[in-house]
Amino acid sequence: MKYMGSKRTMLCNGLGDALNHALAKSERVLDLFTGSAAVSWHVAELYEKEVLATDLQMYSTVLAASVIERTRPIIERDWVDMWFERAMVHLHAHSYWLDAKALQESLTNYSPIDAAFAARSFHFGSDFCLSKAYGGYYFSPWQAMWLDALRVTLPPTDSYKKVALAALIQAASRCAASPGHTAQPFKANETAGRYLIKSWQRDLPEIVRERIEDIAPRFSLKKGVAFCQDALELAQKAQPGDLVFLDPPYSGVHYSRFYHVLESVARGRVGEVFGAGRYPEISERPSSEFSVRRTSKKALNDLLKILSERDAEVLITFPAGKASNGLSGEDVKIIAADHFEIEEEKVSSRFSTMGGNLRHRAARQEADELILKLTQPL
């Protein structure tokens, strides 16, 4: 997935070792800002520990649940074919389906401006809500209609449904015609137009199948649970000896602005959208005090205070420099020292800010990431 500050790289560059060392005395792991679910999956697959994951955004908890809530691999694939057959029936019932296929097959014959004009002339209707919101922008009409059809025909079996929806979210991320995340789609101009067309040409249904082949064999050694709720709510349930992994927001812009398209796919609904980014109403976009400069320090302090009182241990990652939400790595250390002993400190390199630093908020920049192991004071 295209994800801001993804931990996949860090797991091979310091974070994996830190987790391995910290997990020695813990039976449960709480991942309070699960994001792309990279850490939740890593722990669940490799360690016989119960993983509890949470995030304000539903798509994150869908990703986490697709692995941590299963204790066996999914070997069979007949359900995938049946899912796609149901989706095809749904597609063929749409009056614009043949037009969408024709446009998809001839995208290279259009200039980006003409392709965008043709794509945005489609009338999808309320039963194709993702297409209505994002077709002709983040996705070609053909891709968007596949998204809708696959979303409304998800498998009825719970374990299959979780894997299917996670694969659909990941495929949407990979196909989205946007730079890095879904804050804004590529413009149909001379500069970005070629990237728009290239993204629209991606085979979304085939990518869904590829993602299933990655997710379905994965499973948790011990059944966990994913929650869609505020980090402080799950923190209140921490127990003595729990290891709590924290990768709190560092951007001064709410993450829901970057991932609203994935959230719509997870929810299966989207109302009216606005602006260049095709955003839903603000009331439909989760907000976090960690992404507000005037409240970010208090939010972190409140969270660490709760975890200290619950006698948990903490592993926290944060950009080493100054982040755009007003916090810096040094701030994190000062706040943490009020509640915990800092047992270990290390820095992992090649961390992508993807919008989180002060100088180049919109660009993908390389920076260093601080890793702190926090233990209870003696």
Side-chain angles (χ1 to χ4, degrees):
M1 281 183 62
K2 295 182 284 189
Y3 202 81
M4 187 159 61
S6 175
K7 292 294 167 284
R8 289 191 302 274
T9 300
M10 284 186 63
L11 285 168
C12 300
N13 189 22
L15 179 57
D17 290 339
L19 279 166
N20 184 61
H21 180 262
L23 282 165
K25 300 178 182 178
S26 302
E27 291 303 316
R28 291 202 317 174
V29 178
L30 279 61
D31 184 2
L32 298 192
F33 303 92
T34 195
S36 67
V39 170
S40 286
W41 285 16
H42 176 84
V43 174
E45 290 183 274
L46 297 181
Y47 303 90
E48 197 168 348
K49 312 287 184 181
E50 181 184 6
V51 178
L52 305 181
T54 191
D55 201 282
L56 278 176
Q57 299 192 89
M58 183 182 293
Y59 79 86
S60 289
T61 56
V62 169
L63 294 174
S66 68
V67 172
I68 71 171
E69 294 187 356
R70 285 188 294 111
T71 55
R72 70 170 185 88
I74 296 177
I75 306 299
E76 58 277 10
R77 293 292 183 272
D78 56 339
W79 61 274
V80 180
D81 294 331
M82 293 170 63
W83 177 31
F84 273 71
E85 288 171 7
R86 291 193 302 273
M88 282 302 306
V89 171
H90 193 73
L91 288 168
H92 283 292
H94 197 290
S95 58
Y96 275 87
W97 172 238
L98 293 180
D99 293 331
K101 284 183 65 179
L103 176 61
Q104 189 72 17
E105 291 167 359
S106 59
L107 276 174
T108 54
N109 298 331
Y110 287 83
S111 70
I113 292 175
D114 290 340
F117 179 81
R120 294 168 192 176
S121 67
F122 281 63
H123 299 284
F124 296 104
S126 59
D127 56 334
F128 276 72
C129 63
L130 298 172
S131 301
K132 184 179 179 182
Y134 307 125
Y137 296 91
Y138 291 102
F139 307 102
S140 72
W142 181 85
Q143 290 173 323
M145 292 174 75
W146 265 112
L147 268 180
D148 269 310
L150 289 168
R151 182 62 183 80
V152 300
T153 59
L154 286 170
T157 303
D158 187 58
S159 59
Y160 299 161
K161 182 177 182 178
K162 288 174 181 174
V163 171
L165 186 51
L168 193 60
I169 290 168
Q170 289 190 341
S173 175
R174 292 195 174 194
C175 291
S178 55
H181 42 65
T182 58
Q184 285 192 14
F186 290 123
K187 290 180 170 35
N189 56 26
E190 292 183 3
T191 304
R194 66 181 185 274
Y195 300 112
L196 178 77
I197 298 300
K198 183 178 179 180
S199 298
W200 282 7
Q201 289 179 303
R202 291 179 181 138
D203 191 337
L204 185 139
E206 183 58 31
I207 293 173
V208 172
R209 288 183 179 271
E210 290 173 2
R211 300 318 305 147
I212 288 171
E213 291 305 315
D214 177 64
I215 300 170
R218 299 172 180 264
F219 63 96
S220 178
L221 297 179
K222 191 170 186 178
K223 185 175 174 60
V225 185
F227 305 89
C228 187
Q229 62 185 31
D230 186 88
L232 271 71
E233 291 185 59
L234 186 55
Q236 295 282 3
K237 300 175 184 177
Q239 299 173 2
D242 283 348
L243 175 65
V244 181
F245 176 70
L246 301 180
D247 180 39
Y250 54 83
S251 171
V253 180
H254 294 298
Y255 278 34
S256 57
R257 180 176 181 267
F258 298 112
Y259 303 108
H260 63 97
V261 175
L262 306 187
E263 188 72 354
S264 295
V265 175
R267 295 181 180 186
R269 59 178 174 81
V270 57
E272 293 298 316
V273 294
F274 307 91
R278 312 290 289 171
Y279 307 117
E281 293 276 6
I282 291 179
S283 60
E284 291 292 314
R285 291 154 51 190
S287 60
S288 169
E289 291 186 349
F290 285 88
S291 291
V292 179
R293 291 179 65 89
R294 68 177 183 277
T295 60
S296 58
K297 289 184 180 181
K298 182 179 184 302
L300 180 60
N301 183 74
D302 290 348
L303 179 57
L304 291 179
K305 182 174 185 291
I306 291 171
L307 295 174
S308 177
E309 292 172 347
R310 303 297 296 174
D311 204 22
E313 295 196 344
V314 175
L315 194 64
I316 184 169
T317 61
F318 201 81
K322 190 81 169 179
S324 62
N325 68 345
L327 280 171
S328 67
E330 191 61 32
D331 292 329
V332 171
K333 287 195 289 184
I334 291 171
I335 294 170
D338 285 339
H339 307 286
F340 292 91
E341 295 285 345
I342 299 178
E343 180 182 283
E344 186 178 7
E345 175 184 339
K346 63 174 65 176
V347 173
S348 177
S349 61
R350 294 190 58 78
F351 160 74
S352 175
T353 69
M354 283 198 43
N357 69 358
L358 287 171
R359 293 176 299 163
H360 304 284
R361 191 184 59 77
R364 187 186 290 263
Q365 300 289 323
E366 300 300 336
D368 290 332
E369 176 102 339
L370 186 69
I371 305 174
L372 298 178
K373 170 68 185 302
L374 309 180
T375 58
Q376 294 295 327
L378 297 176

